[in-house]
Amino acid sequence: MGNSALKSHLETSQKTGVFQLTGKGLQEFPEELQRLTANLRTVDLSGNKIEVLPAAIGNFLQLKSLTLNSNRLTGLPSEIGKLKKLETLSLNGNQIQQLPPTLSQIKALRTLSLAGNQISEFPSGLGTLRQLDLLDLSRNKIQSVPAEVSELQAIEINLNQNQISVVSAEVSRCPRLKVLRLEENCLELSSIPVSILTESQVSLFSVEGNLFEVKKLRELEGYEKYMERFTATKKKFT
């Protein structure tokens, strides 16, 4: 991509606060964006070949949405924690293995999307994100859902297509959790905490494609209680 094209992109972004440059084969985060740290609210660099998000990302203090789906990122700089206004962070389809602890400082974050990465442990420290609505960790390599999950404020947690064989009963204590997706994992029926059915707020619990027939769920204590929530939610949206 020529300099003139980038220049016109930058001029437009200065006015709109939006910089979108997808599928252009970029190998690094455009240095020129540094000139717009005071203006940019939305950056989308999906479908490129970016391997590193520079520490300078911490200078974009007005950023509300950062999307780098389908790149080659293996991690994030700790400076990401400086983005106090960031509401959406979408990093699907990269090679990220773990998250920096500073991520827990992005208090405005509503959507954290990390589908299709190389994460092998359920990320810790996300309980401080009080605004978090959606946590998408599908298509990773997570093997268990730890007790710490109870601190999460998320309304939806997507863990489809991982390698999960253990789910802590503490998940039923998530205060706002309505949708829990655990499709295509390694769960036995005996690994399903009954408290999700009996005690939680969860009204959509997806477990297709595990090591048991879904209809077997009906045999678990609390299934009827869960179905009441499921049906009540369905009525609300029809």
Side-chain angles (χ1 to χ4, degrees), residues 175-192:
R176 299 201 304 154
L177 188 63
K178 298 277 191 290
V179 178
L180 179 57
R181 302 185 189 277
L182 283 163
E183 294 173 23
E184 295 181 45
N185 277 284
C186 309
L187 290 165
E188 303 274 2
L189 186 64
S190 56
S191 314
I192 303 287

Side-chain angles (χ1 to χ4, degrees), residues 25 153 159-160:
Q153 297 292 318
L159 289 160
N160 290 347

Side-chain angles (χ1 to χ4, degrees), residues 151-167:
E151 296 168 14
L152 290 182
Q153 297 292 318
I155 294 169
E156 174 172 346
I157 300 176
N158 187 342
L159 289 160
N160 290 347
Q161 296 181 336
N162 277 276
Q163 299 164 11
I164 296 168
S165 58
V166 178
V167 178

Side-chain angles (χ1 to χ4, degrees), residues 10-19 33-43 59-64:
L10 289 167
E11 283 168 9
T12 309
S13 299
Q14 197 152 6
K15 297 176 192 134
T16 61
V18 177
F19 185 84
L33 287 186
Q34 288 299 324
R35 290 181 235 151
L36 301 179
T37 51
N39 306 63
L40 286 180
R41 291 186 305 280
T42 300
V43 170
N59 299 332
F60 292 83
L61 298 177
Q62 303 306 314
L63 215 52
K64 284 194 158 188

Side-chain angles (χ1 to χ4, degrees), residues 5-213:
L6 185 58
K7 199 174 169 203
S8 70
H9 247 81
L10 289 167
E11 283 168 9
T12 309
S13 299
Q14 197 152 6
K15 297 176 192 134
T16 61
V18 177
F19 185 84
Q20 184 174 24
L21 198 57
T22 57
K24 295 287 189 242
L26 292 181
Q27 297 194 339
E28 47 192 47
F29 192 88
E31 209 175 305
E32 295 84 351
L33 287 186
Q34 288 299 324
R35 290 181 235 151
L36 301 179
T37 51
N39 306 63
L40 286 180
R41 291 186 305 280
T42 300
V43 170
D44 185 353
L45 292 164
S46 296
N48 285 293
K49 297 174 181 176
I50 298 168
E51 293 181 12
V52 175
L53 194 58
I57 192 68
N59 299 332
F60 292 83
L61 298 177
Q62 303 306 314
L63 215 52
K64 284 194 158 188
S65 174
L66 178 59
T67 304
L68 284 146
N69 297 333
S70 304
N71 276 279
R72 295 176 180 174
L73 298 174
T74 55
L76 297 172
S78 59
E79 287 78 5
I80 195 106
K82 294 179 180 174
L83 304 181
K84 302 297 184 207
K85 294 187 178 179
L86 195 67
E87 295 179 4
T88 301
L89 180 57
S90 190
L91 303 164
N92 301 329
N94 281 280
Q95 292 153 30
I96 294 167
Q97 295 178 11
Q98 53 190 44
L99 306 174
T102 50
L103 199 68
S104 63
Q105 296 167 14
I106 311 178
K107 302 285 195 254
L109 204 58
R110 291 183 174 279
T111 300
L112 178 55
S113 205
L114 293 155
N117 278 282
Q118 302 286 323
I119 297 168
S120 56
E121 287 190 14
F122 196 96
S124 61
L126 301 182
T128 54
L129 304 176
R130 314 308 282 178
Q131 307 296 322
L132 193 64
D133 291 333
L134 170 65
L135 175 60
D136 188 350
L137 291 164
S138 58
R139 305 197 320 277
N140 277 284
K141 297 180 173 181
I142 297 167
Q143 296 179 5
S144 66
V145 181
E148 192 194 344
V149 71
S150 66
E151 296 168 14
L152 290 182
Q153 297 292 318
I155 294 169
E156 174 172 346
I157 300 176
N158 187 342
L159 289 160
N160 290 347
Q161 296 181 336
N162 277 276
Q163 299 164 11
I164 296 168
S165 58
V166 178
V167 178
S168 168
E170 295 293 306
V171 72
S172 61
R173 296 177 59 183
C174 290
R176 299 201 304 154
L177 188 63
K178 298 277 191 290
V179 178
L180 179 57
R181 302 185 189 277
L182 283 163
E183 294 173 23
E184 295 181 45
N185 277 284
C186 309
L187 290 165
E188 303 274 2
L189 186 64
S190 56
S191 314
I192 303 287
V194 175
S195 56
I196 294 175
L197 303 175
T198 56
E199 291 167 37
S200 77
Q201 307 281 318
V202 173
S203 55
L204 179 59
F205 183 41
S206 299
V207 287
E208 286 78 12
N210 278 282
L211 305 179
F212 61 90
E213 289 179 57

Side-chain angles (χ1 to χ4, degrees), residues 207-234:
V207 287
E208 286 78 12
N210 278 282
L211 305 179
F212 61 90
E213 289 179 57
V214 174
K215 61 184 182 189
K216 294 274 188 190
L217 261 192
R218 298 176 201 156
E219 297 168 13
L220 294 183
E221 180 201 344
Y223 182 76
E224 282 161 20
K225 220 172 178 185
Y226 159 70
M227 282 311 291
E228 282 170 21
R229 297 193 300 272
F230 175 81
T231 311
T233 306
K234 227 173 173 182

